[in-house]
Each structure stands twice: as C-alpha cells, then as structure tokens.
Amino acid sequence: MKKTWKLAAIAIFSLLNVACGSSESTPSTPVTTPDNTQFNLAITLSGLSDSGVSFRWLGQSYSISTSQTVSVTAVSYSAPTELTFADTHQCTSTLNKANNTDYNWLISCEKKAVEQAFSILIDSPLPYAVDIKLNDDIFTIKEQSLATEIITSDTPTIVQTDGPLLCNLNPDSAQSAHWRLKCDEFLIATEPVANSTHTDVVLTTPTEKIQLAITGPAEGQNITLIHQAGSQYFLLGSTIYSLQVGQNASINLTALTGQFVSLTQHQQALYGLANDGLYRYSETLNTWQQLRPITRPLASALFASGETLSWLTQMNDALLLDRWVNNANKSTTTADQQISQASDHGALSIDNGVMWLAKNQQNQWLLTAVELMANTVNQVIQTLDQYKQFALWQKDATTNQLLMIEGGSLTTFTIENQSMSWQPYQATSADLVGAHKQLLVTATTLSQSQAQIHTLYHGQTELNHTALNNAFNWSSPAIIALQTDPTAFSSISIKYGLLLFYIEEQSEVWISDGTLNNTKRLLSDKSWQEFTNLEIIAAGQSVLLLNNKSNNQLMTITR
C-alpha cells in the first residue's frame, strides 16, 4: 500500500501473512480440519503506550491496544495478515505454534526517533550576547531564542560571552533536540571573614555565590570588572586577575604578572598604572608592555576621558598631571606648581580642548587649560570658590561637557576659536550639580546632609521632579544623601551612572539612570538612617551590588 508522509496520519504497512521484518516458526500453509474448529491466537503486544495495532485473521478485522487472546471458529487455520500501526512506531512480529489450534503472536514495537532541527531556548533577553558553537558554526544569542535548520546529535558549547555571565547550557527536558540556555550576570566582591586578616572573594549573582580561590585585603575592596576579548579582568590589591567563566560554571582564574595600583579600559585596550610606569596589556603576548616610565611618586589612580589617559604624580608639595593620548606621550602639566589636592577626576577632555580642575593649598578650585584646539597651553585660567559644584557629563558617545551652576543657571564650559567661557545651558532653581557617565543630576539643598532631586538628565532625556512624581505617584519628594568629600567635584554621590534616592513617606529606596524605564524601587520598609548606610559598590547591565556600611552586609539585586 502507498505510504503517506504526514505527521498525524497513520501509514499502512501491509504484511502478507505476517508483518514486515517478522519471523515465524510455522508455515503459512493453511491447516485443514475435518469440521469447524476454534482457533486461538494469544497476542502479546509491547511498546505501544498511546496507540494500538490492527490486523486481519481468518476473515475478521481486529484493533487492539493491549495484550489479549482472540478466538475464531473456522474450517482451516491461516496466519494473521495486514498488521497496521502508527507511522510514529516501528513494529516486528513473531508467530509461534503451540499446537494445531493454539498460536502465540508476539508483536514488539518501538517509537521512531523523530529528527528535529537544533534550537537554543532562553526565557528572557540576556544582559550580554553569548556565542555558541555547534559543529563548525558559531551562533550568537541575546534577545530571543534561536532556531536553526541543523539536524545533529552533536553537543553545543559556549565559546564566549560579551560580558560577565554565569551560564548553564543543558538539553531541554521537554524536547530532546532543543537546548536551554540560562545565564545570570555576575559581579565580584570581597566579603568579611570573622576573626580573620583577609576577606573572601566571591562571584555573586542574585541567586548564588561562588567563592574564588583567592583572598582579599582585610578591609575589603570595591572591585570593578572590565570585559576585554571574552575575559573579565579586575584589580585586587596590587594584582590584576583574568577570569574566564565557561559552560556550566567552569571557572578559570589567572593572576597576571606585575604589581599595579590602577586598572582601566581605554580605546579597546587594558591599561595598568604601576609605581614605575604606565603599561598596556597584550592578549597576544600575554604580557604587559611599558609605555611610559614614572619616576615621581604616584598621587592618583588612572583616569580615562575621551582620547586621554591621565594620572597625577607628586613633586615636593605640588601635583603634576601626566597624559597619554592616542598612543603618544604628552608633556607634563605643572599648573605653576599651585595644585596640591587631587580630585576625583584627572584631565577633562571636552570639545576643542583638555582641562584640569583641582584644588590649591588655599582650598580653591583652579581651572587649568591644558590644551586648546590641540595646542599645549598649561595655564591656570580661573580660580573658583571651594564650595563650587562641578559635573563632567558624558552627554553622548562623543560629547563630554563640563558644567557648574552659576547665578540661577546651569552653565557649560565652551572653547571656540581659542576663546573660553562659561555659557548658559539651562535656567534652574537648583544649587547642586553632579554627574557620572551619562547621568547628570541637579538638586536643591535641604540641609547639610540632604537635597531634593530637581532634574535628571540622560542624553536627550530630561526628567524634572514633577515628571518623576507623575510617573510614579510618589507621596513625597525624592531625597538624596549628600557626601562630604571636599576634593570631589560634587556632593551628589553618583556611581556607575546610577543615583540612589529615598522616598520618605513610603520608606522606599529607589534607583535611576535618568530614564523612566530604568527608574525602579529597590527596597521597601527602610528608614532614612538605613538608606544612608547603603552604597553602590559595583553595578552591571542587570545587577547591582549594594553594601550596608553598618554591618558590611552585601546585597546582589536585579535592577
């Protein structure tokens, strides 16, 4: 009979005398008896749980789904024929003669292996892309599940991730040709150890912690992960580590040679600052290459701004600014040896120039022009009051703006045709300004320790306090806790481009990057004192690591 290939159809397999592939110990020649005789066929059926078989025997048709015995009265015996079963199975049969009237028919079936195309399933978009190798092909998955036309029994493997992810890739329990990928973003943190002179170093996600085979300093350390060429790098103490996290949480941790005080990523390369020089890491050679020797004592970390890397060194009582720009040394900036206090910034790359803003011995801010229109200047151009607030804002991928509040206006420093000035940017009633990365914040002072959010800026997005209240129906204003670091550009604490704030009447802790989509409630039932004890010590695309300064308790939270 003709076989029709349809998933739900039943293909008819006609077996002349017995099913295809069967064997039988009795001939198919009819057995004749003198009179009508009862013949018995004991059928043993196996391997069919959700369907049955049909057949013809001695002029009658049968459909059965369980083992049983059928009996027919006939003049003569002949073997069963036309054994039929679902095309999802393959069946074979064996017919045995017990005596002239009794026969045993064994029908054994098994389900056919259904070939399915390979797929990778995810439950929700991933924070970073994941490259998966199957056969000789590399597939990238991030936003949605991946379906292929490949039919294979090979095992897929994770090649690399575009960020710090802890991933498990396993066969899907419901569909054998499908694999399920589950990934959590991780951060690295140090945790106190009771009665110990060290801290544990842990890889942490919102659902689990894995202790690494290294220890940290007793006082702990905030650790920033840097993704570079499929690996994660971080500085712990004076050692830089390379971390690869493979499939199903396999961890490879390597200490790189050298002793460093700072690590940063700049123009797609890793740079390390050591007491004896500036270094760049070569993944190909697996070594650090010195770019510039340092002979004076270091006085700061390594700063990256625009195309400029910078750091401070000390000479007598003065601080000097050194720079590395586009793979080239730049001359040292002395600012007439007036600067004596390092701030939380180094060289500031803005449109048409490079500036430096730090304090002198009189605690005044000195604004130094380092370069104008690519020409070296190295001259102090303005002395500003110690209480001034400043912000270096990364408005977009190519634009940095230096801002301050002056005379009821948010002003921005501009350089045009060798002319420098502060120009109005936006009128404001706020008196505080601060920024980190793409988030710019203005606020109004309430007391020495509190301020109310006035406006949040993120690129072209602008959210004033009225828009925030309307969006989230807060019962009281959004309040921030002010920091008291005299060398910081601002008393507004913004870390990793994120601002923590407090809604007093609701006793809630919130976080924002300056956009509505990423303005969220983190914690409830917290007092103001509990809020002020919280600090952001690490952040990723989807997770946040908070420290409670009152008890050094770490919290890894999905944001």
Side-chain angles (χ1 to χ4, degrees), residues 58-95:
L58 298 179
Q60 297 188 42
S61 297
Y62 296 89
S63 294
I64 64 172
S65 58
T66 60
S67 299
Q68 57 188 273
T69 298
V70 295
S71 300
V72 177
T73 300
V75 174
S76 62
Y77 167 83
S78 62
T81 61
E82 299 181 23
L83 178 65
T84 305
F85 45 86
D87 67 354
T88 57
H89 287 73
Q90 179 64 48
C91 299
T92 58
S93 67
T94 303
L95 185 64

Side-chain angles (χ1 to χ4, degrees), residues 116-123 145-146 154-156 168-182 247-248:
Q116 292 181 314
F118 171 83
S119 294
I120 300 174
L121 308 177
I122 58 174
D123 296 326
S145 296
L146 172 72
D154 285 359
T155 299
N168 290 293
L169 180 61
N170 295 303
D172 185 62
S173 57
Q175 304 178 70
S176 59
H178 296 175
W179 288 69
R180 187 162 293 276
L181 177 66
K182 294 185 177 181
Q247 190 162 317
N248 299 334

Side-chain angles (χ1 to χ4, degrees), residues 133-139 150-157:
K133 183 177 182 181
L134 179 67
N135 298 338
D136 294 326
D137 296 313
I138 301 292
F139 299 94
I150 299 175
I151 297 175
T152 181
S153 60
D154 285 359
T155 299
T157 57

